[in-house]
């Protein structure tokens, strides 16, 4: 099913897709040919084994990349360190887009509204910072996160719109901002725990 996004940006495109989900689990990955859909079962297995979030990683044993440049690798390493400190969770690959989580946790992420407005300007969460936003909010909520090894191939379709420094700053700002609202994020997450206990 092809979904049209309401604003610009990867994050908005993903949020629009999430809004159409009808299954139990959400699996997110890039469709430029760099991700292998045959890896999906290992992400789902991580969820059924107890994880709230199955976090793809190119840097844990069994993972790798043909597409990651040296500058992006350095930036990812730096952002990993900052995110790990601010969320008290160890990450090896913060900015990788192959992830899976249970659909009933979607509300917890508190993503930007997808309704189209007349200005149609990007808002925080609409860009490449979407992965950091999702992963950071899972971590700050106290969720169980399992890293899943994943291999990133050279893309065979399209060109990246990623700007290493501009989008790196958006990721950093997202991490810092969410840390300031950690208590609110945990409060939202508790609603899910209560509903599951009562189910």
């Amino acid at each position: 099913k092809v979904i049209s996004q309401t604003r610009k940006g990867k994050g908005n495109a993903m949020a629009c897709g999430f809004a159409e989900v009808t299954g139990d689990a959400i699996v997110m990955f890039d469709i430029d040919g760099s991700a292998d859909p045959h890896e999906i079962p290992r992400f789902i297995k991580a969820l059924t084994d107890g994880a709230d979030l199955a976090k793809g990683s190119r840097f844990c044993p069994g993972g790798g990349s043909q597409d990651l440049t040296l500058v992006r690798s350095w930036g990812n390493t730096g952002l990993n360190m900052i995110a790990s400190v601010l969320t008290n969770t160890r990450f090896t690959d913060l900015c990788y887009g192959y992830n899976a989580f249970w659909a009933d946790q979607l509300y917890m992420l508190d993503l930007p509204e997808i309704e189209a407005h007349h200005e149609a300007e990007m808002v925080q969460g609409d860009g490449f910072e979407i992965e950091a936003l999702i992963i950071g909010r899972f971590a700050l909520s106290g969720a169980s996160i399992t890293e899943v090894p994943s291999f990133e191939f050279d893309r065979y379709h399209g060109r990246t719109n990623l700007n290493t420094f501009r989008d790196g700053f958006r990721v950093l700002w997202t991490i810092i901002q969410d840390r300031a609202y950690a208590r609110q994020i945990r409060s939202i997450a508790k609603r899910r725990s209560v509903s599951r206990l009562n189910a």
Side-chain angles (χ1 to χ4, degrees), residues 140-154:
L140 289 169
S141 74
S144 172
I145 301 174
T146 298
E147 285 200 322
V148 177
S150 180
F151 192 88
E152 180 185 41
F153 296 91
D154 284 327

Side-chain angles (χ1 to χ4, degrees), residues 31-98:
I31 57 167
D32 54 14
S34 60
D36 182 1
H38 292 96
E39 292 181 356
I40 291 177
R42 72 173 68 161
F43 284 82
I44 298 300
K45 185 177 186 304
L47 295 181
T48 57
D49 283 348
D52 295 310
L53 170 69
K55 173 73 193 87
S57 175
R58 297 163 291 185
F59 299 109
C60 66
S65 176
Q66 295 176 337
D67 190 54
L68 194 62
T69 65
L70 184 60
V71 173
R72 285 170 54 204
S73 180
W74 286 345
N76 193 43
T77 299
L79 291 170
N80 279 336
M81 293 174 61
I82 295 170
S84 295
V85 170
L86 293 180
T87 64
N88 196 30
T89 305
R90 184 179 180 276
F91 299 112
T92 63
D93 199 355
L94 178 70
C95 300
Y96 188 45
Y98 208 149

Side-chain angles (χ1 to χ4, degrees), residues 93-158:
D93 199 355
L94 178 70
C95 300
Y96 188 45
Y98 208 149
N99 305 294
F101 55 92
W102 294 114
D104 67 356
Q105 294 176 314
L106 187 58
Y107 81 88
M108 184 195 75
L109 300 177
D110 197 24
L111 299 177
E113 295 292 337
I114 61 172
E115 283 74 15
H117 301 291
H118 64 278
E119 67 272 10
E121 292 290 333
M122 289 178 64
V123 300
Q124 189 70 19
D126 277 355
F128 284 99
E129 69 275 10
I130 185 66
E131 282 97 5
L133 186 152
I134 289 173
I135 297 158
R137 291 183 181 179
F138 267 109
L140 289 169
S141 74
S144 172
I145 301 174
T146 298
E147 285 200 322
V148 177
S150 180
F151 192 88
E152 180 185 41
F153 296 91
D154 284 327
R155 69 181 63 229
Y156 60 71
H157 176 72

Side-chain angles (χ1 to χ4, degrees), residues 137-186:
R137 291 183 181 179
F138 267 109
L140 289 169
S141 74
S144 172
I145 301 174
T146 298
E147 285 200 322
V148 177
S150 180
F151 192 88
E152 180 185 41
F153 296 91
D154 284 327
R155 69 181 63 229
Y156 60 71
H157 176 72
R159 293 184 177 180
T160 181
N161 293 316
L162 178 71
N163 180 295
T164 302
F165 298 101
R166 180 197 64 208
D167 292 311
F169 178 78
R170 288 179 70 97
V171 170
L172 178 61
W173 177 241
T174 296
I175 297 168
I176 294 173
Q177 192 175 44
D178 277 356
R179 181 63 184 88
Y181 291 96
R183 182 176 297 178
Q184 180 179 342
I185 292 170
R186 285 193 291 268

